[in-house]
Amino acid sequence: MNWVLELLRRLRFRFQRSRFDQDLAEEMRLHQDLRAAELQSGGAAPVEAQLAARRKFGNEARIGEDSREAWSWIFLDRLQQDIRYGLRALAANPGFTLTAVLSLALGIGANTAIFSIINAVMLRTLPVADPQALVQLKLGGGGDDELNTPLWEQIRDHQQSFSGVLAYASERLSLGASSDGRFAQGLWVSGDFFRVLGVPAMQGRAFTIDDDRWGGGSQGPVAVISYRFARSHFAEGEQVVGQTIQLNRKPFVIVGVTPPWFTGLDLEQSYDVAIPIGCQPVLRAGATTEDEIHHWWLRIVGRIPEGRTIQQADERLQAITPDILKATTPPEQSARDQAEYRKTNFALRPAALGFSATRTQYRTALYVLMGTVGLVLLIACANIANLLLARAAARQRELSVRIAIGASRVRIIRQLMTESLLLALAGAGGGFLLSLWGSRALVRMLSTSARVVDLDTSPDLRLLAFTIAVAGLTAVIFGLAPAIRGTRLGVHSALKEQDRGTLRGTHRLGLGRALVAGQVALSLVLLAGAGMFAMSLRNLLTLDAGFTRRNVLLVGLDLQEAVPQARRAAVYQEILHRVESIPGVASAASSVLQPIGSAGWAQGVEPEGYTPRSRRDSQLFLNRISPEFFRTFGTALVSGRAFSDRDTLSSPLVMVINESAALRFFGSSNAVGRTIRMSKPGSRTEKDSYEVVGVVQDTKYNRLDEAPRRIGYLAFWQEPEPGSSIRLAVRSDVSMEALAPAVRDRILGVQRDAALEFSSFEARVNDSLLQPRLVAVLSSIFGGLALLLAVVGLYGVTAYSVARRRGEIGIRIALGAQRGSVVWLMLRDVGALLLCGLVIGIAISLGAGKLIGTLLYGLKPGDSRVLGGAALLLCAVTALAAYVPARRAARIDPMVALREE
């Protein structure tokens, strides 16, 4: 640590040199002013007199500055002495120093790692021009995050609230002209997207309004790519602008490359290729602006002009809202639904931080983890405080001598606090390095097989300031009380206590015992929290979700508009037959959606004999499936029948619903044979009637922890206009690694241009449990660390108590005390600490349980089984930790103990 002293010496030299330069410059300026006055007056005597007066005045004015400078140097000299002495004192006790620094490094590193994620998703603004001026437009009281194209066009053409507006949406796009499984993260953007954000093109140009015309601009379909995509897909030095790339087998000309610091508005997903929203007909044959009224997919962001507030922008937007909603009202809706739609309003939300699924999904979990690591750091501080108390007691003679020869108590406290600050800074340095690795590990834990999270957790000034602030706070927490306590004893009593023959008692253990009780309480809180999260995860893993998770291969199939719509049903049917013929395949099914995922399809329906209380009350979540779907996923049929190959376009329309839908719409009566009406596909006014032919058990739709939803299933072969992409599910006892190539060969044998993606349904379900698994794993790790620290603290206090009471214990044994009674004497004190800590910990756990209720499934906060198990575990471990020094106390030789005294 000599570099610290060298730094102080250099700072002192630079300060002195700066003062000398300032004095010299002031003297020269005075001479110049006086010389000018002499030339004007024509005499020298007045000038000399004035010069003397100014020098005198300057010296008198500088007295205060010299005094302050002298005191500042005295402070720096003493600080330098304190640092030098503190470094020698810590170096003289390497075991203590290493233990304290490692404990602090773990605690501060964990806090900094969690804070780096919070900083990345909740505090760091977008790297664009004036991000604070960006706001997102939402619709409705609940704030719909995504709007449709007609709403976007109305806002774009009629708004006067913003200096610019943009719209964007994310979508994966296939790359290349062959089915090689290469994909890019695509970004649909408006023509003004880059201009509104203030993002220039590093090469070429950004989009213009002309590029965003429906069907493509005057230059045809164009694209702007990211810097990272350009580096990974083109050779270094190669001219990128002007080249053509294939997106979903359609050519796009690259017109620009964005700078490396811009990765899009979605924090976790860096974009690869941006294309204009107007190019939808290029990638989606038959897409029309009329159909876009049902396609809610765009995020809309506006930039507030300089000098205008968000409230003023909102007032101008609300003035044109009725006209916008009137122009975009779906004509097929009922009069009541149309009136309800026109009553909604737009809401403005700050968008300076960008958009983050992690922020939305993991906000509560991150705060809980931040609180958890904060408690771990408090336990570590309590341990170090106990170590410092023991160290201060061991240094009592030294401190007493220093007080006796004239050192003030404040001076000694400052010296001890300097040592604590050095420990905290060393721990903070190690913790900061650990956090760099820990934050990257956390980002990897947030990633799944289907979604790779790409968060920027690089250190910045805010993260560095957080680490320094935590270091300073911990130094005060664990250093101040031992420093004050260690200097409280008088000189005579301290020197007298060090004399031989004096029996040392336990009067100095009060603060240490209180710290151990606090450690026990906080450890119980963390153990109980870890137990609750672990039980919640177990409930989700063992939940009957209505389907079987294992041995199901999922296939994403996209025909890429290569097959005309009239032939798609036949192609899909042929693919299913070929996949089912693979040896080892039990069944195969196709569907529009797959269970457990972010995609959804909900629609208002009109069940026979049912009068809904609201629009949401008649909502039914839908999916279109082939006949073997229920068999493939293992969903049980409750009544009626499943679909068959006879349910085609030429047969009556049929539907299968789940138990929740049957109970809501038809009560206790039989749902089979009843009718449900809903809007006809492709029509805004006509409705189709579906006969309910079967009822299946309830299944999860999007998430495992969701409440039962009303779900309806439509026959796949009754779809009049099949889309270009579907989902396949294949059940087989063959391993997924061996099955995937066989399925690929069969599909490409039917349609060689198909784009394919493979995944395991079990992995998909496991990925959906990422948050509860992450919280359970991390809280268990931190709970175990807290338990270890508490055990070490309790062991240390007990061992220290034994060491201080050796004379007393020796006398007890010499007078006939049994070893069992000596062990009980030590354990009795520990039991009191443990009981006090358990009572406080249970009270805190019950109070804090309400904060984590949203993260639990099938479990109430403060569950008695979890609290009881955590308390028993803590009792067993702490009893073992206390028994070891207590047993050692019982084996003390009384003669040796009394001779030491």
Side-chain angles (χ1 to χ4, degrees):
M1 298 296 288
N2 290 332
W3 63 273
V4 178
L5 304 179
E6 180 65 24
L7 178 61
L8 290 175
R9 284 194 292 270
R10 290 187 179 183
L11 290 174
R12 179 177 181 179
F13 173 76
R14 289 185 180 181
F15 184 78
Q16 289 175 331
R17 181 64 180 271
S18 175
R19 293 289 303 183
F20 174 78
D21 292 342
Q22 291 177 7
D23 292 342
L24 182 61
E26 178 69 16
E27 190 73 18
M28 293 179 65
R29 187 180 65 80
L30 288 174
H31 277 289
Q32 291 173 358
D33 293 344
L34 293 174
R35 181 59 59 190
E38 179 183 4
L39 294 176
Q40 292 178 0
S41 62
V47 174
E48 294 299 331
Q50 189 179 11
L51 176 61
R54 290 193 177 185
R55 284 180 176 174
K56 181 180 179 180
F57 175 77
N59 290 334
E60 291 176 352
R62 201 173 291 135
I63 291 176
E65 296 182 8
D66 291 341
S67 178
R68 288 192 296 270
E69 181 181 350
W71 281 110
S72 65
W73 286 121
I74 292 174
F75 172 77
L76 288 177
D77 287 340
R78 290 184 176 179
L79 177 62
Q80 184 175 346
Q81 294 174 5
D82 289 343
I83 293 176
R84 187 184 296 112
Y85 185 84
L87 291 175
R88 288 202 304 266
L90 294 178
N93 295 273
F96 161 77
T97 303
L98 183 61
T99 301
V101 170
L102 286 179
S103 299
L104 287 174
L106 289 174
I108 295 177
N111 278 268
T112 307
I114 299 296
F115 181 78
S116 67
I117 303 296
I118 295 177
N119 180 44
V121 301
M122 299 182 189
L123 301 176
R124 183 179 293 171
T125 57
L126 292 169
V128 299
D130 192 14
Q132 300 296 340
L134 298 178
V135 292
Q136 182 191 7
L137 281 73
K138 293 188 173 185
L139 181 65
D144 290 337
D145 197 51
E146 296 175 341
L147 308 180
N148 58 26
T149 305
L151 280 170
W152 153 242
E153 292 176 346
Q154 288 290 322
I155 294 171
R156 178 195 62 192
D157 297 339
H158 298 93
Q159 70 84 23
Q160 297 178 350
S161 305
F162 312 104
S163 59
V165 288
L166 63 88
Y168 85 98
S170 299
E171 181 180 343
R172 293 190 71 194
L173 304 172
S174 66
L175 288 173
S178 59
S179 177
D180 53 5
R182 293 190 304 141
F183 290 87
Q185 185 60 42
L187 205 63
W188 294 93
V189 301
S190 57
D192 261 359
F193 181 83
F194 295 106
R195 184 194 66 81
V196 173
L197 293 177
V199 178
M202 189 178 69
Q203 297 179 27
R205 66 174 179 85
F207 291 139
T208 64
I209 299 297
D210 178 70
D211 296 323
D212 194 22
R213 299 184 185 278
W214 191 258
S218 58
Q219 296 187 13
V222 294
V224 171
I225 63 176
S226 67
Y227 174 80
R228 186 176 66 174
F229 183 81
R231 291 197 60 182
S232 61
H233 285 76
F234 296 94
E236 186 174 356
E238 182 180 359
Q239 180 61 34
V240 177
V241 176
Q243 293 206 38
T244 300
I245 58 173
Q246 297 284 332
L247 301 176
N248 287 4
R249 290 185 174 78
K250 298 296 187 299
F252 283 76
V253 177
I254 299 175
V255 296
V257 180
T258 53
W261 46 264
F262 181 74
T263 58
L265 299 184
D266 294 326
L267 301 186
E268 294 89 0
Q269 287 186 329
S270 301
Y271 93 97
D272 296 320
V273 183
I275 56 178
I277 294 174
C279 290
Q280 290 182 74
V282 178
L283 296 188
R284 301 167 180 164
T288 63
T289 54
E290 291 78 11
D291 294 334
E292 285 297 303
I293 201 170
H294 302 291
H295 189 195
W296 295 72
W297 65 306
L298 294 173
R299 280 198 179 107
I300 300 178
V301 176
R303 178 177 289 279
I304 298 178
E306 186 176 356
R308 188 178 301 172
T309 64
I310 189 172
Q311 291 79 9
Q312 293 172 336
D314 183 65
E315 290 174 0
R316 293 197 175 193
L317 181 62
Q318 299 307 329
I320 63 172
T321 296
D323 294 334
I324 292 177
L325 296 178
K326 182 179 180 181
T328 59
T329 302
E332 75 277 4
Q333 288 185 352
S334 64
R336 185 184 64 180
D337 291 341
Q338 288 183 351
E340 184 178 345
Y341 173 79
R342 291 174 181 174
K343 289 180 181 179
T344 56
N345 287 313
F346 288 103
L348 300 183
R349 297 291 182 269
L353 303 179
F355 301 95
S356 170
T358 301
R359 183 194 308 147
T360 303
Q361 184 178 359
Y362 295 93
R363 181 187 299 271
T364 304
L366 287 174
Y367 287 152
V368 168
L369 290 176
M370 194 71 205
T372 300
V373 294
L375 294 181
V376 172
L377 183 58
L378 281 179
I379 295 174
C381 289
N383 257 0
I384 299 173
N386 266 327
L387 291 175
L388 289 175
L389 283 173
R391 191 164 178 264
R395 298 173 63 185
Q396 193 63 62
R397 177 177 290 274
E398 170 204 341
L399 300 178
S400 301
V401 170
R402 294 183 66 182
I403 294 175
I405 62 177
S408 67
R409 185 183 179 192
V410 173
R411 179 72 177 83
I412 295 177
I413 290 176
R414 192 181 72 188
Q415 173 62 54
L416 296 177
M417 286 302 299
T418 302
E419 296 178 16
S420 299
L421 184 60
L422 290 175
L423 285 176
L425 290 177
F432 189 80
L433 296 178
L434 285 176
S435 71
L436 300 179
W437 169 83
S439 60
R440 290 192 292 268
L442 284 174
V443 170
R444 287 193 295 271
M445 294 179 70
L446 289 171
S447 300
T448 64
S449 57
R451 176 175 170 268
V452 177
V453 174
D454 187 20
L455 276 177
D456 179 16
T457 58
S458 57
D460 57 10
L461 291 178
R462 186 183 291 109
L463 190 65
L464 184 61
F466 174 82
T467 307
I468 295 175
V470 170
L473 182 61
T474 53
V476 173
I477 291 176
F478 70 74
L480 186 59
I484 296 175
R485 189 71 180 85
T487 59
R488 182 176 298 173
L489 191 63
V491 177
H492 298 290
S493 58
L495 294 177
K496 189 182 301 182
E497 187 176 299
Q498 298 296 328
D499 293 340
R500 293 179 59 87
T502 302
L503 295 179
R504 287 165 286 182
T506 61
H507 61 281
R508 292 198 169 274
L509 297 178
L511 179 58
R513 292 158 65 87
L515 291 174
V516 171
Q519 284 181 298
V520 171
L522 296 180
S523 299
L524 179 63
V525 173
L526 295 181
L527 288 175
M532 290 181 187
F533 292 134
M535 285 194 66
S536 177
L537 178 61
R538 188 204 65 178
N539 292 340
L540 289 171
L541 290 173
T542 59
L543 172 71
D544 181 11
F547 44 67
T548 304
R549 313 177 190 192
R550 294 187 175 183
N551 302 326
V552 177
L553 176 68
L554 303 180
V555 185
L557 169 62
D558 195 342
L559 299 181
Q560 306 267 327
E561 305 293 341
V563 179
Q565 192 175 73
R567 292 190 55 248
R568 288 174 188 167
V571 171
Y572 291 148
Q573 202 162 20
E574 177 65 18
I575 288 174
L576 276 179
H577 289 327
R578 293 211 180 185
V579 170
E580 288 175 337
S581 65
I582 297 175
V585 171
S587 62
S590 61
S591 61
V592 173
L593 302 174
Q594 289 171 336
I596 309 302
S598 58
W601 172 18
Q603 188 170 330
V605 297
E606 300 176 7
E608 176 187 347
Y610 177 75
T611 303
R613 292 187 293 260
S614 65
R615 181 182 177 186
R616 185 178 295 274
D617 199 40
S618 64
Q619 194 175 59
L620 188 66
F621 288 87
L622 299 170
N623 195 3
R624 193 174 289 277
I625 63 174
S626 65
E628 294 295 318
F629 181 88
F630 298 129
R631 179 186 172 194
T632 301
F633 284 99
T635 302
L637 184 67
V638 177
S639 61
R641 68 173 179 87
F643 298 128
S644 68
D645 291 333
R646 294 173 295 177
D647 296 319
T648 62
L649 285 173
S650 59
S651 62
L653 298 177
V654 293
M655 177 187 292
V656 174
I657 60 177
N658 68 346
E659 293 176 290
S660 293
L663 182 62
R664 169 60 66 89
F665 295 150
F666 306 110
S668 58
S669 60
N670 188 9
V672 176
R674 308 293 288 272
T675 301
I676 295 179
R677 298 180 73 241
M678 57 186 294
S679 299
K680 187 175 183 179
S683 174
R684 300 181 179 180
T685 57
E686 299 182 31
K687 296 184 181 294
D688 285 328
S689 294
Y690 293 82
E691 179 186 355
V692 177
V693 296
V695 177
V696 295
Q697 71 176 116
D698 285 342
T699 62
K700 300 299 182 179
Y701 193 80
N702 291 121
R703 307 187 318 273
L704 287 180
D705 59 349
E706 68 188 13
R709 295 187 177 183
R710 302 183 296 274
I711 303 176
Y713 302 92
L714 308 179
F716 193 86
W717 309 124
Q718 290 187 334
E719 168 61 49
E721 299 178 355
S724 62
S725 62
I726 63 169
R727 305 291 181 263
L728 300 181
V730 184
R731 170 169 294 282
S732 174
D733 293 333
V734 181
S735 66
M736 300 293 104
E737 293 76 11
L739 181 61
V743 173
R744 176 187 295 274
D745 292 340
R746 296 301 175 95
I747 295 176
L748 296 183
V750 178
Q751 186 61 41
R752 62 183 181 86
D753 293 330
L756 304 175
E757 279 188 282
F758 294 89
S759 62
S760 166
F761 184 54
E762 185 175 13
R764 185 186 185 94
V765 175
N766 290 336
D767 289 347
S768 70
L769 298 176
L770 177 62
Q771 174 177 305
R773 180 180 289 108
L774 177 68
V775 174
V777 170
L778 291 181
S779 62
S780 298
I781 293 175
F782 296 140
L785 180 60
L787 179 61
L788 177 62
L789 291 173
V791 167
V792 171
L794 188 62
Y795 175 86
V797 167
T798 307
Y800 181 60
S801 176
V802 170
R804 292 189 61 84
R805 301 175 66 180
R806 282 178 63 86
E808 173 195 345
I809 295 172
I811 293 176
R812 288 177 179 271
I813 295 177
L815 294 177
Q818 299 298 319
R819 291 185 174 180
S821 63
V822 173
V823 172
W824 170 245
L825 176 67
M826 296 291 101
L827 293 182
R828 183 179 59 190
D829 295 338
V830 173
L833 292 179
L834 183 61
L835 180 61
C836 181
L838 290 178
V839 172
I840 298 175
I842 291 175
I844 297 176
S845 298
L846 293 176
K850 299 177 182 179
L851 302 177
I852 64 174
T854 58
L855 300 178
L856 302 178
Y857 181 82
L859 189 70
K860 292 183 178 180
D863 186 87
S864 58
R865 296 170 300 171
V866 177
L867 282 177
L872 287 176
L873 175 62
L874 193 58
C875 289
V877 176
T878 53
L880 180 62
Y883 177 74
V884 175
R887 187 167 176 267
R888 189 182 301 122
R891 295 184 176 183
I892 291 177
D893 187 339
M895 296 304 298
V896 174
L898 294 176
R899 190 179 299 117
E900 290 177 356
E901 294 295 334

